[in-house]
Amino acid sequence: MVSVKETKEGTIIKVYVKPKSKRFSIKFENNEIIVHCTEPAIKGRANREIEKKLSKIFKVKAIILSGHASRHKYILIKGLSFEKVKCRFKI
């Protein structure tokens, strides 16, 4: 099961990040959300790309809550319910 939790501030998703990919994409493999980002994991560049791209996809602010130095991250999608996140990701 994909790790998604609804809170009063929005929805928290757990993702696994693969930096230095050819293009930014989001995939589902083995019941896990995989984010392929183009930036390397140097000086927070991959984290900034993930926040920027997810904010653009959802049209609301996306914030990395934990996992800044890890490939496993918890990301808050502010102001969106679980149902809206689920529809956008097609979970």
Side-chain angles (χ1 to χ4, degrees):
M1 179 75 182
V2 174
S3 181
V4 178
K5 179 182 175 186
E6 190 169 349
T7 69
K8 65 180 179 179
E9 293 150 5
T11 301
I12 298 172
I13 57 173
K14 181 181 179 186
V15 302
Y16 180 78
V17 177
K18 291 189 176 181
K20 292 181 68 176
S21 298
K22 289 188 179 194
R23 70 179 86 94
F24 186 90
S25 65
I26 301 168
K27 297 182 180 177
F28 299 95
E29 298 172 8
N30 301 322
N31 291 323
E32 192 170 36
I33 300 171
I34 311 292
V35 177
H36 297 266
C37 62
T38 59
E39 293 290 337
I42 298 172
K43 295 184 180 178
R45 287 170 53 187
N47 291 338
R48 284 191 298 274
E49 179 188 19
I50 291 165
E51 288 178 335
K52 182 179 175 183
K53 297 281 187 169
L54 289 179
S55 293
K56 187 174 180 181
I57 289 168
F58 288 108
K59 297 179 175 65
V60 295
K61 188 135 180 100
I63 302 166
I64 297 173
L65 297 177
S66 67
H68 289 89
S70 169
R71 289 185 182 221
H72 289 278
K73 302 183 185 301
Y74 285 93
I75 302 172
L76 172 65
I77 310 298
K78 288 194 74 130
L80 283 187
S81 68
F82 169 72
E83 287 302 316
K84 289 183 180 180
V85 171
K86 186 174 156 182
C87 289
R88 185 67 181 131
F89 271 149
K90 298 176 180 82
I91 296 173

